[in-house]
Amino acid sequence: MKSLRSAVVVGTGVLVVAGALPLQSAAADQPHIYLSYAQCDQPINTWFDWQKQPLQVKAGEDAGALCRVEFGADQRGAKNVKLALTLSAQSVADSGYSAQQLAQRLSVRSFYSTAAATDRRAGRAWVVNDDGSLTLDLPAHDFPAGGTSGSPDGLGVVDLEISGAPSAKSVLLQGRLDLTADGTTEKLTKPISINYVGNGGSVDLGAPSTLVPVSPARLLDTRAGIGAAKGKLGPDGTLTLTVAGRGGVPLTGVSAVVLNVTATNPTDASHVTAYPHGRNRPTASNLNFTPGETVPNQVTVPVVDGRIDLYNQLGTVDLIADVSGYYTPGDAGSRYTALATPARLLDTRAGTGAAKAKLGADSTLTLAVAGRGGVPAEGVTAVILNVTATNPTDESHVTAYPHGTGRPTASNLNFTPRETISNQVVVPVVDGRIDLYNHTGTVDLVADVSGYFSASGAVFVPTGPARALDTRDGTGGIQGKVGPRAIALTVGRWENGVPPYGITGVALNVTVTNTTDSSFLAVYGATPGGPIPDTSSLNFSAGQTIANAVTPNAADGVVFANHVGSTDVIADVSGYFTTG
């Protein structure tokens, strides 16, 4: 076995990989491929053979256990050299988990020692095979003739890090490593095993799903008796809302629903929480309001038995809910691509995306979204926008809907004169455009895009609300108000219900409270050393508590940047996006 070069210890997890594969004889005119070693690191910095000793993956530990594999080809070089890790169908069946459940619970990332920095942290997705086995395919590696880096042979070093979700039981999984390359009949196979060590915990991960956008439709209005009894929701009260089979949502096959929920006519300072029907109510909140306010917010809620629950803490309040889409397991819908940073598509104050003029009463503005701000010119089914209304002259509302379709009765933003308010919207795209309608008075509109849906991209995994950040008590590792600066949060943590590797985006409900000044918060994907984007996610005034949904890129964490003054920031996770 060759000596291990530049061993790197990541975290305190434990993983195991084994020694050299037995080499098969290769035909004289074929490249020869080989596996030099496959070793894993223990916390005491000793390395051992994966074939002789099971890999130890400790449930609930975010820091993955590390394995290093060296493989390559002789001086003739080789093309499309592939390394794959497969867990056997029998082993998966014996575990008591389904193949899909295991695929979600074993989070893996890998990188080559020669890879560019931007590619070194890529998460890898398990493939569920027809026979019930799981396969993890690593990117192909080419080895030029004559060797690389002064070596007589072409060598590749790949690091594997595996992290396991909280698990109630321990599972021993049997599998193998396979090495193949173009132009050779060699297939080198090594048996391995993984000991997934349970910790008595669990994580509630929904089925990987894709979005089906729908034209906004009203599912709930307690003022009119739509979707529930006519009458306000009282203090410490819970309303169960049926979403399946209504407003374009099918009766079955719904894993989560996207709603615009509006609280109006409240009698007390309170909050509303949307969560999966019948589950324990979380500490998370979705809408925060004071007496007499009308406050909207978009929510993405896992659906149980076709229903969701809405809870009000204090006083009485009317609730309105408009559906704009739903998630369904599998690939029947569209996948999400989160932009690296949000981009401004509309600002009527500056003439960006439309004429430099306020939108008038009973007027509609058509906004081109395709081919702008990182959104592709074709193939887009829906976009996620943060829409801000500012400088309104009258009490009014704005509705976002698919271009050229009949305007729905639903609303996305509700505001009063001189108020500035934001709300995230998911809008189906028709001919590359969407429409924005203002009811009364005049208003300036600003729209920032954070991502889009199409045939390619990431799937959504609903998790239910979980608190990932609260600067009031240090949740998320950050304590103390956020001044005019930026803070970074690692969202990929098992305690948030989110795997540490492989996420591309996250669905957050972000709340600001204890604000000292009129300001705005920009929430976006972390880019080391990158500038703060010229976009906003929440707009607030001194003393206000307000929330907004945000769906940023999360591959390297999420940044929260406050403009002026100081504020406490709270973020609740309702799901994540991942390749697969």
Side-chain angles (χ1 to χ4, degrees):
M1 180 180 295
K2 294 185 179 180
S3 61
L4 185 68
R5 290 177 279 172
S6 61
V8 177
V9 178
V10 178
T12 59
V14 186
L15 190 69
V16 192
V17 185
L21 286 172
L23 300 180
Q24 302 175 13
S25 60
D29 60 345
Q30 294 177 336
H32 171 63
I33 56 174
Y34 58 87
L35 178 60
S36 297
Y37 61 73
Q39 293 176 315
C40 297
D41 188 23
Q42 295 186 97
I44 57 175
N45 199 27
T46 59
W47 295 77
F48 57 91
D49 185 316
W50 195 350
Q51 187 173 8
K52 297 178 180 178
Q53 186 174 342
L55 150 70
Q56 305 290 324
V57 175
K58 295 182 179 179
E61 292 192 354
D62 295 325
L66 173 67
C67 283
R68 178 157 292 178
V69 182
E70 182 182 273
F71 59 98
D74 61 23
Q75 290 187 346
R76 286 169 292 185
K79 295 289 187 181
N80 207 29
V81 180
K82 295 180 180 178
L83 186 69
L85 172 63
T86 298
L87 302 179
S88 73
Q90 185 61 56
S91 181
V92 171
D94 291 343
S95 73
Y97 291 107
S98 70
Q100 185 59 66
Q101 288 173 329
L102 273 178
Q104 292 179 269
R105 284 162 171 77
L106 291 177
S107 180
V108 186
R109 69 174 176 178
S110 70
F111 50 85
Y112 292 100
S113 60
T114 56
T118 54
D119 298 325
R120 287 175 62 85
R121 295 171 58 88
R124 305 300 175 197
W126 294 95
V127 174
V128 178
N129 300 312
D130 291 340
D131 64 356
S133 62
L134 289 175
T135 297
L136 190 81
D137 290 311
L138 302 188
H141 209 60
D142 289 342
F143 299 117
T148 58
S149 303
S151 169
D153 296 340
L155 297 178
V157 177
V158 61
D159 286 341
L160 288 170
E161 294 176 38
I162 303 182
S163 173
S167 172
K169 57 183 177 180
S170 295
V171 173
L172 183 62
L173 300 165
Q174 304 294 336
R176 69 180 190 272
L177 284 171
D178 292 322
L179 186 68
T180 60
D182 288 351
T184 177
T185 57
E186 285 182 300
K187 179 178 180 181
L188 307 182
T189 299
K190 170 190 269 307
I192 56 91
S193 58
I194 297 175
N195 187 19
Y196 179 17
V197 182
N199 64 352
S202 64
V203 61
D204 186 16
L205 299 173
S209 303
T210 49
L211 177 78
V212 180
V214 299
S215 185
R218 183 141 294 174
L219 300 186
L220 173 68
D221 190 339
T222 59
R223 302 169 303 178
I226 298 172
K230 184 177 181 179
K232 289 182 175 182
L233 181 61
D236 198 30
T238 301
L239 181 157
T240 296
L241 176 65
T242 298
V243 296
R246 304 178 60 219
V249 180
L251 281 170
T252 59
V254 179
S255 57
V257 65
V258 181
L259 299 173
N260 188 70
V261 179
T262 303
T264 191
N265 305 319
T267 60
D268 206 340
S270 182
H271 70 259
V272 164
T273 300
Y275 60 102
H277 171 63
R279 303 276 177 85
N280 293 330
R281 176 169 50 85
T283 57
S285 63
N286 298 98
L287 290 92
N288 300 76
F289 44 85
T290 55
E293 270 194 312
T294 296
V295 177
N297 195 13
Q298 185 186 89
V299 299
T300 300
V301 196
V303 173
V304 176
D305 296 330
R307 294 171 287 180
I308 68 166
D309 288 340
L310 296 163
Y311 167 82
N312 174 48
Q313 185 194 30
L314 298 172
T316 63
V317 64
D318 278 311
L319 293 181
I320 304 164
D322 302 316
V323 63
S324 59
Y326 64 91
Y327 287 96
T328 184
D331 283 321
S334 299
R335 293 174 168 240
Y336 182 61
T337 299
L339 299 178
T341 55
R344 182 142 293 174
L345 299 185
L346 173 69
D347 190 340
T348 60
R349 302 169 303 179
T352 301
K356 184 179 179 180
K358 286 184 174 182
L359 183 60
D362 194 31
S363 297
T364 300
L365 180 158
T366 295
L367 176 64
V369 296
R372 302 180 60 219
V375 179
E378 297 180 349
V380 177
T381 59
V383 289
I384 293 185
L385 300 174
N386 188 67
V387 179
T388 302
T390 189
N391 305 319
T393 59
D394 205 344
E395 182 174 327
S396 183
H397 68 262
V398 164
T399 299
Y401 59 102
H403 171 63
T405 64
R407 176 167 52 85
T409 58
S411 64
N412 297 99
L413 288 92
N414 300 76
F415 44 86
T416 56
R418 295 178 298 280
E419 186 179 21
T420 296
I421 192 165
S422 303
N423 197 19
Q424 180 174 274
V425 298
V426 174
V427 196
V429 174
V430 175
D431 295 331
R433 293 172 288 179
I434 67 166
D435 287 342
L436 295 164
Y437 168 82
N438 175 48
H439 180 51
T440 59
T442 63
V443 64
D444 277 312
L445 293 181
V446 182
D448 301 319
V449 62
S450 57
Y452 61 89
F453 291 88
S454 63
S456 61
V459 295
F460 179 68
V461 179
T463 60
R467 182 139 295 172
L469 173 68
D470 191 336
T471 61
R472 299 171 302 180
D473 60 15
T475 298
I478 302 169
Q479 188 163 12
K481 283 186 175 183
V482 181
R485 62 185 177 94
I487 60 172
L489 174 69
T490 299
V491 181
R493 302 175 64 184
W494 286 121
E495 66 182 66
N496 297 333
V498 181
Y501 311 137
I503 64 172
T504 61
V506 64
L508 295 176
N509 188 74
V510 179
T511 304
V512 293
T513 190
N514 302 321
T515 57
T516 63
D517 208 336
S518 293
S519 183
F520 64 87
L521 196 72
V523 183
Y524 56 97
T527 303
I532 296 175
D534 187 24
T535 57
S536 64
S537 303
L538 289 89
N539 297 75
F540 50 89
S541 56
Q544 186 177 26
T545 297
I546 193 168
N548 197 18
V550 187
T551 313
N553 189 303
D556 292 304
V558 177
V559 173
F560 302 80
N562 180 39
H563 182 52
V564 297
S566 64
T567 180
D568 278 308
V569 181
I570 304 160
D572 301 314
V573 180
S574 60
Y576 63 89
F577 294 88
T578 182
T579 57

